[in-house]
């Protein structure tokens, strides 16, 4: 089996010196295990995708900056009927944070969210009352890494609205109340492989900030979570990530309940090097997934 290890054309803005190069280390690990696997750039028009038996999506970190091209690529791969991990239709669904509203409507515990659609006026005042808060977080529905993310108070609302007016001409934005637990307790990331819980980390922002990403001074800490919160995180995977090799469930614990911020199914950093045998666990999950696929393909219908 020939596997395409799908990544992006490396850009310095995505290179974080304080984080392990999981993308490269995992590729080497899988190659050393004997897999026929090679790194492929998803935007490379010269790639013959039909030359591969499987696409393993690892790090297309710039997809949100080229979302139309990304959707076209997903459709191209689907038309060629090439298996993809994670599945193509789930990756497309997960690329736009409108999915959070779907989860809320289904009764899941999710940070309260509202959408300002593309082309709509940038009126932020009603959201303070709607969410009963004095601080909002606003970010694009298609985004990653805190891109174009604003924290809004009544004091800076007019300034943000002016900037948001231009941005809404191009894309939709999601509005949420600011969650103080991110500052006080941190943001939890539960990593699942083949739907099974693997490990957990807590990401904390630096003092005076709300962004947990390392490029903004955030730190990451491995931890043993409350089993109840593992079950709560697993419910999102079981319902929305069926057939996925990997899933990262990000959220906060509010009044003792795990509450989702984002379900990461496209290109999440999985913190494999932060836990014992993390890369081996990923490899075993991949091999189990491949074995299941092979068994499914070789099963023949019984004779009447």
């Amino acid at each position: 089996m020939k596997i395409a290890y799908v990544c992006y054309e490396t850009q310095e803005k995505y290179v974080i010196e304080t984080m392990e190069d999981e993308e490269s280390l995992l590729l080497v690990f899988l190659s050393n295990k004997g897999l026929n696997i090679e790194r492929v750039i998803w935007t490379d028009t010269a790639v013959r995708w039909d030359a591969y038996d499987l696409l393993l999506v690892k790090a297309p970190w710039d997809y949100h900056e080229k979302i139309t091209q990304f959707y076209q690529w997903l459709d191209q791969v689907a038309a060629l009927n090439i298996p993809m991990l994670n599945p193509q239709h789930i990756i497309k669904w997960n690329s736009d944070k409108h999915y959070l509203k779907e989860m809320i409507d289904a009764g899941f515990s999710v940070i309260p969210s509202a959408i300002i659609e593309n082309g709509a006026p940038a009126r932020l005042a009603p959201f303070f009352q709607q969410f009963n808060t004095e601080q909002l977080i606003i970010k694009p529905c298609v985004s990653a890494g805190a891109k174009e993310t604003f924290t809004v108070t009544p004091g800076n609302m007019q300034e943000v609205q002016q900037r948001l007016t231009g941005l809404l001409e191009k894309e939709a934005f999601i509005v949420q109340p600011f969650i103080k637990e991110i500052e006080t307790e941190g943001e939890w990331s539960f990593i699942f492989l083949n739907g099974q819980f693997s490990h957990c980390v807590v990401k904390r922002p630096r003092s005076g900030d709300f962004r947990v990403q390392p490029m903004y001074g955030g730190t990451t800490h491995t931890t043993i979570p409350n089993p109840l919160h593992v079950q709560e995180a697993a419910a999102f995977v079981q319902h929305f990530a069926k057939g996925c090799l990997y899933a990262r469930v990000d959220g906060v614990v509010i009044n003792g309940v795990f509450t989702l911020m984002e379900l990461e199914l496209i290109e999440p950093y999985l913190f494999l090097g932060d836990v014992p045998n993390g890369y081996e666990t990923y490899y075993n999950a991949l091999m189990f997934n491949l074995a299941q696929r092979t068994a499914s393909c070789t099963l023949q219908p019984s004779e009447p």
Side-chain angles (χ1 to χ4, degrees), residues 8 10-23 61 144-146 203 212-220 248 267 269 271:
Y8 75 119
T10 303
Q11 302 173 47
E12 287 301 319
K13 63 182 176 179
Y14 292 114
V15 177
I16 305 170
E17 294 181 356
T18 59
M19 296 184 71
E20 183 172 273
D21 185 3
E22 183 178 273
E23 176 197 321
W61 286 336
K203 299 171 288 186
V212 298
Q213 291 84 0
M215 69 276 284
Y216 302 116
T219 56
T220 301
R248 198 181 84 194
E267 31 63 275
Y269 191 90
F271 306 98

Side-chain angles (χ1 to χ4, degrees), residues 19-38:
M19 296 184 71
E20 183 172 273
D21 185 3
E22 183 178 273
E23 176 197 321
S24 299
L25 291 173
L26 180 58
L27 177 59
V28 171
F29 189 91
L30 296 178
S31 296
N32 289 340
K33 286 289 189 177
L35 295 181
N36 182 12
I37 187 169
E38 59 187 23

Side-chain angles (χ1 to χ4, degrees), residues 54-57 73-74 77 82-88 91 293:
L54 177 73
L55 273 57
L56 180 57
V57 182
W73 173 71
L74 288 174
V77 170
I82 305 171
M84 177 183 286
L85 294 174
N86 285 340
Q88 178 264 0
I91 285 179
R293 288 173 174 273

Side-chain angles (χ1 to χ4, degrees), residues 4-160:
Y5 187 77
V6 181
C7 297
Y8 75 119
E9 186 175 359
T10 303
Q11 302 173 47
E12 287 301 319
K13 63 182 176 179
Y14 292 114
V15 177
I16 305 170
E17 294 181 356
T18 59
M19 296 184 71
E20 183 172 273
D21 185 3
E22 183 178 273
E23 176 197 321
S24 299
L25 291 173
L26 180 58
L27 177 59
V28 171
F29 189 91
L30 296 178
S31 296
N32 289 340
K33 286 289 189 177
L35 295 181
N36 182 12
I37 187 169
E38 59 187 23
R39 187 179 190 271
V40 184
I41 309 303
W42 74 271
T43 52
D44 186 350
T45 57
V47 174
R48 285 285 306 277
W49 297 105
D50 56 1
Y52 297 96
D53 301 298
L54 177 73
L55 273 57
L56 180 57
V57 182
K58 175 52 183 168
W61 286 336
D62 56 353
Y63 82 90
H64 60 288
E65 298 176 341
K66 308 170 184 178
I67 192 63
T68 299
Q69 184 179 356
F70 187 64
Y71 289 158
Q72 291 172 346
W73 173 71
L74 288 174
D75 291 343
Q76 175 190 359
V77 170
L80 293 171
N81 201 29
I82 305 171
M84 177 183 286
L85 294 174
N86 285 340
Q88 178 264 0
H89 69 282
I90 291 181
I91 285 179
K92 180 178 283 189
W93 170 83
N94 190 233
S95 68
D96 189 317
K97 291 178 181 60
H98 279 78
Y99 74 79
L100 293 175
K101 294 289 290 179
E102 180 181 332
M103 291 176 168
I104 292 171
D105 292 343
F108 284 81
S109 179
V110 179
I111 300 297
S113 304
I115 305 291
I116 306 178
E117 296 293 354
N118 171 229
R123 295 174 183 151
L124 300 180
F127 295 113
F128 291 104
Q129 182 176 2
Q130 177 178 339
F131 297 134
N132 189 27
T133 185
E134 290 297 313
Q135 191 171 7
L136 302 169
I137 294 293
I138 302 177
K139 55 189 172 183
C141 287
V142 177
S143 66
K147 169 200 170 187
E148 300 291 5
T149 298
F150 307 100
T151 176
V152 187
T153 65
N156 72 347
M157 183 183 68
Q158 294 298 329
E159 175 187 347
V160 174

